Amino acid sequence: MTICSDTPFISTTIYFAGKTTLADSLVASNGIISSRLAGKLRYLDSREDEQIRGITMKSSAISLHYASGEKDYLINLIDSPGHVDFSSEVSTAVRLCDGAIVIVDAVEGVCPQTQAVLRQAWLENIRPVLVINKIDRLIMELKLTSQEAYTHLQKILEQVNAVTGSLFTSKVLEDRAVKEERAEEDKEEGDIEPAECPGSEQVYDWSAGLEDSDDSQLYFSPDQGNVVFASAIDGWGFSIQQFAQIHSQRMGIRAEVLLKTLWGDFYLNAKAKKIMKGAHVRPMLTFYHSNEC
């Protein structure tokens, strides 16, 4: 399909566990390479030393076409290195992009480099999408049951959100420190605050400002649409939005309701035909069983 010059384009970068395989899958979706070669060809690792060593050392870019409904998009994809020694490539790529895809190994979980790239995305004011890759390893290698796999994935989300939370806390405390510094400068210039006037009682604010800050949209949670579960080597991935659409038709429940309850402490009461809270105490009745991060 020919993409017109006025087609909306989005720049995004991907990095970390299995990112080159995922990039191969995205390239294969445009028919540039065969889907059977995805993960083996390492299409964006164009340098000879990258092919020999099996790691990405230089960022590579490619333009891909994506259609959503009646709209066409041109996505400029940058495959940046995941190794910590090439973090400068990541910081350069993230400055050029509108979004980022952070890929985490479903078995290994959060690594130091994951924390580094999350921080770089935070500093550039980019909201990333989390892809938990290699879901197949939980089944083929670890032999986890569905409940054990869910608990494992939940811990990964908690680890990633802990990194995001620490970045948010640092930002709030930094803003408060700047505000206090400006207040001290105003005081030195002769501006006296009402609380410090003669005869008034001195007031000290011990709060950090975290209570008044809205961080509800910062964290990764499947029900917010910023978490994808995938197996790049097998060429598949999904979000709970897709499952909400599937089960909405099968169960006769609105997709909006399922989207809010597919991830959380909810269970399906088949007799009452209702979705209810308290799945952790009613495990035998659960259609899907999970806990909020």
Side-chain angles (χ1 to χ4, degrees):
M1 179 181 293
T2 302
I3 304 175
C4 300
S5 59
D6 58 349
T7 301
F9 70 93
I10 302 172
S11 299
T12 185
T13 182
I14 60 176
Y15 33 71
F16 216 48
K19 57 180 185 49
T20 302
T21 303
L22 178 60
D24 272 6
S25 297
L26 295 176
V27 171
S29 69
N30 273 226
I32 300 175
I33 64 174
S34 170
S35 58
R36 293 178 296 177
L37 297 177
K40 301 176 182 178
L41 185 60
R42 302 176 63 89
Y43 185 79
L44 294 182
D45 287 348
S46 56
R47 292 160 50 110
E48 182 179 357
D49 51 355
E50 290 178 323
Q51 291 288 342
I52 294 175
R53 299 180 62 180
I55 61 173
T56 303
M57 292 182 285
K58 288 290 183 180
S59 296
S60 300
I62 190 172
S63 295
L64 301 175
H65 169 247
Y66 172 71
S68 177
E70 298 180 354
K71 293 184 178 180
D72 292 332
Y73 295 90
L74 181 63
I75 300 178
N76 298 316
L77 181 70
I78 301 177
D79 180 16
S80 57
H83 197 278
V84 67
D85 290 344
F86 309 106
S87 58
S88 60
E89 290 286 328
V90 178
S91 60
T92 301
V94 79
R95 292 189 182 102
L96 301 173
C97 295
D98 306 304
I101 302 174
V102 179
I103 306 177
V104 176
D105 192 306
V107 175
E108 297 178 3
V110 177
C111 299
Q113 182 64 0
T114 310
Q115 302 178 23
V117 295
L118 284 172
R119 183 175 183 275
Q120 289 173 329
W122 174 274
L123 293 176
E124 298 300 329
N125 198 27
I126 289 179
R127 295 183 61 182
V129 173
L130 178 66
V131 175
I132 302 181
N133 193 29
K134 303 183 182 179
I135 297 293
D136 57 291
R137 294 185 63 189
L138 301 180
I139 304 170
M140 304 301 295
E141 295 182 20
L142 301 186
K143 309 292 184 182
L144 299 183
T145 64
S146 58
Q147 181 60 40
E148 291 171 343
Y150 167 77
T151 303
H152 183 80
L153 295 175
Q154 182 191 26
K155 291 180 180 179
I156 292 178
L157 279 174
E158 291 175 350
Q159 292 171 358
V160 177
N161 285 331
V163 177
T164 304
S166 64
L167 294 170
F168 173 73
T169 302
S170 300
K171 179 66 167 58
V172 172
L173 295 178
E174 182 181 349
D175 291 343
R176 179 179 177 177
V178 172
K179 185 183 297 184
E180 290 178 349
E181 183 179 351
R182 291 176 180 175
E184 288 294 331
E185 293 176 355
D186 293 341
K187 180 180 177 181
E188 292 177 358
E189 292 175 358
D191 297 332
I192 302 177
E193 297 180 2
E196 296 179 346
C197 293
S200 65
E201 183 180 355
Q202 181 66 46
V203 178
Y204 295 94
D205 183 12
W206 294 97
S207 66
L210 295 173
E211 297 82 1
D212 301 328
S213 302
D214 183 16
D215 60 346
S216 59
Q217 302 298 320
L218 295 178
Y219 299 106
F220 295 100
S221 181
D223 56 357
Q224 292 190 16
N226 55 8
V227 178
V228 177
F229 306 94
S231 173
I233 193 66
D234 293 327
W236 57 261
F238 63 89
S239 64
I240 65 170
Q241 281 81 357
Q242 293 169 291
F243 273 85
Q245 294 294 335
I246 294 173
H247 291 296
S248 173
Q249 300 174 2
R250 293 181 179 179
M251 302 168 59
I253 302 176
R254 288 186 296 117
E256 296 78 9
V257 175
L258 286 175
L259 187 59
K260 297 178 180 179
T261 56
L262 277 175
W263 188 269
D265 186 21
F266 303 97
Y267 72 94
L268 176 66
N269 190 324
K271 293 183 178 179
K273 296 183 178 180
K274 293 182 179 180
I275 297 175
M276 307 178 69
K277 299 198 68 170
H280 63 285
V281 297
R282 301 289 295 276
M284 296 303 294
L285 296 178
T286 58
F287 175 73
Y288 37 77
H289 178 268
S290 55
N291 297 307
E292 292 179 336
C293 293

